[in-house]
């Protein structure tokens, strides 16, 4: 019952992860809400083995193994569709458990509800409506990439009805989608992204979702699919949106293939929003003001101070004394037009590609974050934590 209560309380709090950590004198339970870990409860150490045993049974793990990492999946019937990805890791005080929560009721797969600004939304709709090419999403773990891809697929199906064959290869499938043939890779059984994609190409798909491009082989197959009449949507870990091309070139992908296949790159970040119940003016930290001064100039900084733009939540019962209530997206939509393709073909530096995109109207993540500060929706420290002012 204790494990059920932990899961129930975490789901009710809107948590994305549960951390159950054995310490010297107790077992600490923390949950990640709005991207930040917060304390949930402390449990006496004598219950630790029972908690581990319960999670192992739920996730079909080896109960007798205690000194090796294990991974598994669970779908407790008591929680109506909630799925757990369970990871167990041995530490000096015992096994640490981390559960990633996939809650279908907390997901928004309507493309208009992603929180994108109007310009980005229109550009995103435009590129996902194209019949062929490769669309990439970049951002750290938990930044909303998969949600954005699911929303894009939902938009395609809504637009074309059941006339479009859509397939996905994921690790794992986070949410079941109507009219989409979804497959979970199983590396332990020799079923990875390359094997899945090679087989999938014989399934006559028109739209292919690839959970992540991790290696050269997966990248080559995805690019080949994008060149041969398929629309491919995937994610890639890259420090910056414009740096995506350099990342793929470092995998030994030829520049001319990237220039002819990649049709758009979307950078996504999630910023915590100030609690609407306790938001009040505040004085940002000295380092944050200095960063703003360096990158936007003294005049811009003075203008923000004069307009009383700096607000933060002071903490109240509505936000559990965190000062924040929910999160909102900021985006960077790089559309691969002629200028960008030419720069990629000639292996131009990432900074040059960024400059071309900005000159063609791309709003950067930094600019999007600053606008949220001006609108009193978040703090200056929050955007500096999630987005570097000099990204490139």
């Amino acid at each position: 019952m204790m494990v059920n209560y932990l899961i129930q309380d975490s789901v009710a709090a809107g948590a994305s992860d549960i951390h159950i950590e054995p310490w010297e004198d107790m077992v600490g339970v923390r949950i990640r809400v709005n991207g930040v870990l917060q304390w949930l409860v402390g449990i006496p150490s004598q219950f630790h083995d029972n908690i581990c045993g319960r999670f192992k049974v739920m996730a079909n793990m080896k109960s007798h193994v205690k000194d090796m990492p294990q991974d598994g999946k669970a779908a407790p019937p008591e929680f109506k569709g909630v799925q757990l990805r369970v990871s167990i890791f041995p530490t000096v005080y015992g096994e640490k458990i981390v559960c990633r929560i996939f809650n279908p009721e907390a997901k928004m797969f309507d493309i208009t509800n992603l929180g994108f600004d109007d310009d980005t939304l229109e550009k995103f709709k435009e590129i996902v409506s194209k019949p062929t090419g490769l669309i990439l999403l970049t951002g750290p773990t938990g930044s909303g990439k998969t949600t954005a891809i699911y929303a894009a697929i939902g938009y395609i199906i809504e637009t074309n009805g059941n006339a479009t064959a859509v397939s996905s290869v994921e690790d794992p499938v986070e949410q079941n989608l109507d009219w989409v043939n979804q497959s979970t890779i199983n590396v332990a059984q020799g079923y990875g992204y390359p094997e899945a994609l090679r087989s999938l190409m014989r399934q006559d798909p028109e739209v292919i979702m690839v959970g992540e491009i991790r290696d050269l082989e997966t990248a080559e197959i995805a690019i080949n699919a994008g060149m041969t009449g398929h629309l491919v949507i995937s994610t890639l870990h890259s420090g910056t949106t414009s740096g995506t091309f350099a990342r793929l070139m470092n995998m030994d992908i030829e520049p001319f293939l990237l220039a002819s296949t990649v049709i758009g790159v979307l950078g996504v970040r999630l910023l915590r929003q100030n609690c609407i119940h306790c938001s009040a003016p505040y004085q940002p930290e000295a380092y944050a003001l200095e960063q703003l001064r360096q990158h936007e100039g003294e005049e811009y900084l003075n203008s923000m101070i004069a307009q009383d733009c700096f607000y933060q939540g002071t903490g109240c019962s509505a936000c559990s004394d965190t000062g924040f209530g929910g999160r909102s997206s900021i985006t960077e939509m790089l559309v691969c037009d002629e200028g960008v393709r030419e720069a990629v073909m000639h292996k131009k530096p990432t900074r040059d590609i960024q400059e071309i995109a900005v000159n063609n109207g791309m709003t950067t993540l930094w600019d999007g974050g600053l606008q949220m500060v001006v609108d009193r929706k978040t703090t200056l420290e929050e955007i500096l934590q999630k987005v570097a002012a000099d990204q490139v």
Side-chain angles (χ1 to χ4, degrees), residues 217-290:
E217 193 174 5
T218 305
E220 287 178 334
I221 299 172
I223 287 172
N224 182 62
M227 292 180 64
T228 55
H230 306 84
L231 180 67
V232 182
I233 309 176
S234 186
T235 68
L236 181 75
H237 282 288
S238 171
T240 62
T241 305
S242 50
T244 298
F245 303 100
R247 174 83 174 84
L248 288 167
M249 288 181 199
N250 288 338
M251 289 184 182
D252 291 330
I253 301 294
E254 292 292 339
F256 76 89
L257 292 175
L258 297 178
S260 59
T261 308
V262 179
I263 58 177
V265 184
L266 178 67
V268 187
R269 301 290 189 277
L270 288 174
L271 299 184
R272 291 177 295 169
Q273 296 187 99
N274 292 332
C275 174
I276 60 174
H277 301 285
C278 62
S279 184
Y282 86 111
Q283 176 70 20
E285 297 283 345
Y287 82 89
L289 292 173
E290 182 58 30

Side-chain angles (χ1 to χ4, degrees), residues 100-118:
R100 169 62 59 91
I101 301 172
F102 301 113
N103 183 7
E105 294 184 2
K107 298 293 183 183
M108 298 182 299
F109 300 134
D110 185 342
I111 198 168
T112 60
N113 290 335
L114 291 175
F116 293 178
D117 62 86
D118 293 341

Side-chain angles (χ1 to χ4, degrees), residues 34 36 270-274 324 326-327 377-378 382 385:
N34 293 330
V36 178
L270 288 174
L271 299 184
R272 291 177 295 169
Q273 296 187 99
N274 292 332
F324 295 98
R327 293 189 289 180
K377 292 181 178 179
T378 194
E382 178 71 3
Q385 182 182 358

